[in-house]
Amino acid sequence: ELKVEQNPLFLSMQEGKNYTIYCNYSTTSDRLYWYRQDPGKSLESLFVLLSNGAVKQEGRLMASLDTKARLSTLHITAAVHDLSATYFCAVDMSSGSGGGADGLTFGKGTHLIIQP
Amino acid sequence: GAGVSQSPRYKVAKRGQDVALRCDPISGHVSLFWYQQALGQGPEFLTYFQNEAQLDKSGLPSDRFFAERPEGSVSTLKIQRTQQEDSAVYLCASSDLPGTQYFGPGTRLLVL
């Protein structure tokens, strides 16, 4: 059974600081996703990481993937209040063969509060 | 273009009632997924369609849950004889094959 663990689950930080959210998963997977969810809203896709060593950046957020360690990180640089949200990582449940889409297994989410 | 849409956005049901939740995926997306999100938790996979074929229903919690996508586009998730533990947000997502899943706004179901 695929398991996805995120930590921390709750994070309160000040604007201007840097921090990293960690996502560990239990079995081999080709695809890892990061989503953002604002209160009462649906999930917004942030990043798709498809291979070992993949790194993607968008604004103050940077995501990386280490498939050997089964670890992905989401790094926040110089945080601003607008980044307050819940961040989820999710792993594709299909095999590494790339043979088609399948459901995602999500972590419990990291609830991030950025204080001015 | 239009994203994934879901209706109704909110549904209150009395315990024992049947409910039907609708999902309109992004036009042309082959894959369609249903997830259940309890308060404060991550979404949990329910079922997956590729076109009209339901390829995986391993996440459906009981035989009271039923999903269909008869023409390979719109999908309906039906819950029979609703129970209080069914209260959650039901999210629909669609994707190209394979690719990022794009989520709809969800249906918030409250069973009293």
Side-chain angles (χ1 to χ4, degrees):
Chain A
E1 179 188 352
L2 174 59
K3 293 184 179 179
V4 179
E5 293 185 354
Q6 287 182 239
N7 71 85
L9 297 183
F10 296 96
L11 177 58
S12 179
M13 55 192 293
Q14 288 187 322
E15 281 190 328
K17 300 292 187 182
N18 304 331
Y19 210 82
T20 301
I21 300 169
Y22 298 88
C23 174
N24 289 90
Y25 54 98
S26 59
T27 62
T28 302
S29 176
D30 269 1
R31 293 183 286 270
L32 188 138
Y33 302 81
W34 283 95
Y35 286 89
R36 167 181 173 150
Q37 187 174 40
D38 291 290
K41 304 292 185 182
S42 191
L43 286 85
E44 173 191 354
S45 176
L46 295 175
F47 301 108
V48 182
L49 302 168
L50 299 176
S51 62
N52 187 42
V55 177
K56 291 195 174 179
Q57 183 164 3
E58 180 72 33
R60 301 175 188 273
L61 300 178
M62 182 175 70
S64 65
L65 178 63
D66 180 343
T67 57
K68 294 180 181 178
R70 297 176 186 168
L71 171 68
S72 179
T73 61
L74 180 66
H75 187 72
I76 303 158
T77 302
V80 293
H81 178 67
D82 286 351
L83 291 179
S84 297
T86 299
Y87 292 86
F88 292 98
C89 67
V91 177
D92 198 312
M93 295 190 293
S94 63
S95 69
S97 64
D102 207 334
L104 298 177
T105 298
F106 283 80
K108 291 184 181 294
T110 297
H111 184 54
L112 175 63
I113 297 173
I114 299 171
Q115 300 175 354
Chain B
V4 178
S5 61
Q6 293 184 245
S7 61
R9 294 292 311 278
Y10 303 90
K11 177 69 178 177
V12 179
K14 292 183 180 179
R15 190 174 55 182
Q17 276 186 328
D18 298 348
V19 298
L21 312 180
R22 177 187 169 106
C23 173
D24 283 86
I26 293 172
S27 178
H29 276 189
V30 170
S31 299
L32 185 145
F33 306 83
W34 284 98
Y35 294 86
Q36 180 190 61
Q37 187 175 22
L39 188 63
Q41 301 294 315
E44 292 194 356
F45 170 78
L46 295 177
T47 187
Y48 157 55
F49 290 86
Q50 185 174 320
N51 295 306
E52 68 279 3
Q54 190 174 18
L55 298 187
D56 188 346
K57 54 182 181 180
S58 62
L60 296 176
S62 78
D63 59 6
R64 296 185 295 104
F65 286 72
F66 173 76
E68 60 183 5
R69 194 186 185 197
E71 298 179 359
S73 179
V74 171
S75 177
T76 303
L77 176 67
K78 297 179 179 178
I79 309 173
Q80 297 176 325
R81 304 180 304 281
T82 52
Q83 304 294 315
Q84 284 186 324
E85 61 262 30
D86 299 335
S87 296
V89 177
Y90 290 86
L91 294 166
C92 175
S94 71
S95 74
D96 289 337
L97 183 71
T100 298
Q101 294 184 24
Y102 296 92
F103 284 80
T107 294
R108 293 180 180 276
L109 174 64
L110 177 63
V111 182
L112 302 177

